[in-house]
Amino acid sequence: MIEAFIFDLDGVICTTDEYHYQAWKTLANELGLEFSRAKNDRLRGISRMASLEIVLEESKIEYSAEEKVDLAEKKNAIYRKLLCNIHPEDALPEIPETLKALRERDMKIAIGSSSKNTKDILGRLDLLDIFDAIADGSDITRSKPDPEVFLCAAGKLGLEPGVCAVVEDASAGIQAAKAAGMLAIAFGGDAASDPCADKVITHPSQLLAL
Ligand code: BG6
Ligand code: MG
């Protein structure tokens, strides 16, 4: 019996996955590197530093640890400029209504995201207070596919993993949900084609029928 839904943020609650893509592409192109949509899919759900390693895969230059920190900060600055455009209307279709309806059914709802920008984004969307718990990039040391962020969210909710369902657009997030012992629900992204997903939805309101 499911008692809680743990939502990924980027690509599930809002389209900030597109802003991540644009920011990484800007940085990669400045460094003379190609950056494709396929490569971007590999960055879904994983941390900023781990993403940078993938972005730099084809680079002929060996960057020092310090230079990598600077590059990750540069990407985040580009990304944060794009976040200024986010308003409550930018939540994905059906998300605010579905969150509200789940709460009305006494379901707990939480965020489980690798992003350190989570609370800023939820504030801009006017969705900061609707969640019972938020676990984000500041709470964890290992990003998805490690289950840490989802176990942290379940812990904050005071629930066992087995009664939690995860909603994800990242294949890394589906792997993390399964490793946590949770139901894994794919919603868009590369999660939708992951054979490990327990369910695939195309509209958030489908969660109400589970
Ligand atoms: C995840 C995104 O939600 O957060 C990743 O899917 C991103 O693409 C990660 O790298 C970390 O985000 P941030 O905002 O801390 O750079
Ligand atoms: Mg995501």
Side-chain angles (χ1 to χ4, degrees):
M1 179 79 163
I2 294 302
E3 293 179 32
F5 285 92
I6 304 175
F7 291 83
D8 173 50
L9 175 72
D10 300 309
V12 168
I13 298 292
C14 52
T15 54
T16 38
D17 54 333
E18 179 63 22
Y19 291 166
H20 278 296
Y21 165 73
Q22 287 175 22
W24 281 124
K25 188 169 168 56
T26 302
L27 181 78
N29 293 167
E30 272 179 29
L31 300 175
L33 299 167
E34 289 294 318
F35 188 70
S36 64
R37 290 273 173 189
K39 186 162 261 199
N40 185 59
D41 267 347
R42 291 173 57 204
L43 311 186
R44 288 181 190 271
I46 68 170
S47 72
R48 200 179 303 163
M49 289 310 288
S51 298
L52 179 67
E53 294 297 339
I54 295 174
V55 171
L56 295 178
E57 268 172 358
E58 269 98 49
S59 175
K60 305 250 178 328
I61 301 168
E62 271 294 320
Y63 292 97
S64 68
E66 217 170 61
E67 286 170 327
K68 285 180 182 173
V69 169
D70 288 348
L71 289 174
E73 272 171 18
K74 194 167 180 191
K75 180 268 173 177
N76 194 46
I78 301 168
Y79 178 64
R80 288 191 58 81
K81 254 193 202 157
L82 295 170
L83 291 184
C84 294
N85 303 324
I86 293 193
H87 301 100
E89 309 78 59
D90 295 312
L92 275 166
E94 297 184 357
I95 281 289
E97 309 89 283
T98 303
L99 295 174
K100 213 165 150 244
L102 287 171
R103 283 194 66 119
E104 281 164 7
R105 295 172 182 204
D106 289 331
M107 201 61 84
K108 297 277 183 214
I109 55 172
I111 289 284
S113 167
S114 306
S115 173
K116 293 185 174 162
N117 290 298
T118 294
K119 288 186 182 143
D120 180 29
I121 294 168
L122 290 175
R124 289 175 189 276
L125 292 170
D126 215 4
L127 290 175
L128 193 53
D129 297 328
I130 197 168
F131 292 97
D132 298 293
I134 294 172
D136 67 18
S138 319
D139 293 304
I140 55 168
T141 53
R142 300 178 301 278
S143 73
K144 303 166 190 174
D146 191 282
E148 187 179 8
V149 77
F150 295 138
L151 293 174
C152 177
K156 288 187 183 202
L157 291 172
L159 292 174
E160 290 300 321
V163 297
C164 298
V166 163
V167 186
E168 261 292 347
D169 70 319
S171 181
I174 295 294
Q175 305 300 321
K178 294 319 296 169
M182 299 178 181
L183 188 78
I185 303 171
F187 172 48
D190 62 344
S193 54
D194 189 322
C196 294
D198 295 305
K199 287 183 191 303
V200 180
I201 59 166
T202 52
H203 293 86
S205 60
Q206 289 172 269
L207 296 175
L208 301 171
L210 291 179

